[in-house]
Amino acid sequence: MIDRLHVVFDWCKRVYDALAEPLRKDPDAPSFRLSSPETHTTTIDGDVGWGNRPPARIHCGRCDALIDQPTSLDDIDCDHCVAEYSNEEFTDLQLAHLICPVCGDRMEHGQRHPQTFDVPEWATCHSCRYHWEFKHSY
């Protein structure tokens, strides 16, 4: 009787191991971070909120040169002319694109409510699957 229980137990253990093996963490795999639940995406990484907005590349309102704004709270100073803008003047300038904070590639961005908001409301990096969402109440 004990031998039969050992056989059944060994068989159950092999079945369990076969089912669990694909779910075990691979120590050689690159890091995998899930995106914030508020982004509601299937992307690998993400952030929510204007304070977490990815870096922006903006056209200078005076000389049309491209200006980098590393964070949404940084002032916007043109390196090519004397133009200086506060971070609140972001909407007065033309956004060229957002830059992925993970891999540095250009992000696709857009607005869902252009009549309500004059800032980008989402951005996705197609290279590394990073996604950012502007947080607001509907």
Side-chain angles (χ1 to χ4, degrees):
M1 178 69 169
I2 298 284
D3 290 338
R4 278 190 168 170
L5 286 175
H6 282 292
V7 170
V8 170
F9 178 77
D10 288 342
W11 180 82
C12 289
K13 185 177 181 322
R14 281 194 306 270
V15 169
Y16 171 79
D17 287 341
L19 292 172
E21 185 59 34
L23 303 175
R24 289 193 174 109
K25 182 178 179 182
D26 181 3
D28 298 328
S31 66
F32 181 80
R33 300 183 304 180
L34 292 175
S35 66
S36 174
E38 290 89 356
T39 62
H40 302 292
T41 67
T42 56
T43 58
I44 293 174
D45 194 7
D47 285 309
V48 176
W50 189 252
N52 295 322
R53 192 208 70 205
R57 188 154 288 151
I58 306 158
H59 289 277
C60 176
R62 186 172 195 175
C63 71
D64 203 40
L66 290 176
I67 307 169
D68 288 335
Q69 184 189 29
T71 72
S72 62
L73 302 176
D74 290 333
D75 287 336
I76 306 163
D77 298 328
C78 183
D79 295 333
H80 304 288
C81 70
V82 296
E84 295 180 358
Y85 306 95
S86 73
N87 61 350
E88 285 110 18
E89 294 177 281
F90 177 84
T91 57
D92 298 337
L93 303 170
Q94 181 186 356
L95 174 64
H97 59 270
L98 296 173
I99 302 165
C100 179
V102 175
C103 71
D105 281 358
R106 185 180 187 148
M107 299 179 75
E108 178 184 358
H109 68 276
Q111 292 178 279
R112 292 190 180 93
H113 308 96
Q115 299 85 0
T116 308
F117 298 101
D118 52 358
V119 296
E121 295 180 79
W122 62 269
T124 297
C125 177
H126 295 293
S127 298
C128 70
R129 304 306 303 161
Y130 172 86
H131 185 80
W132 168 79
E133 286 279 337
F134 179 71
K135 190 174 184 176
H136 53 77
S137 300
Y138 295 100

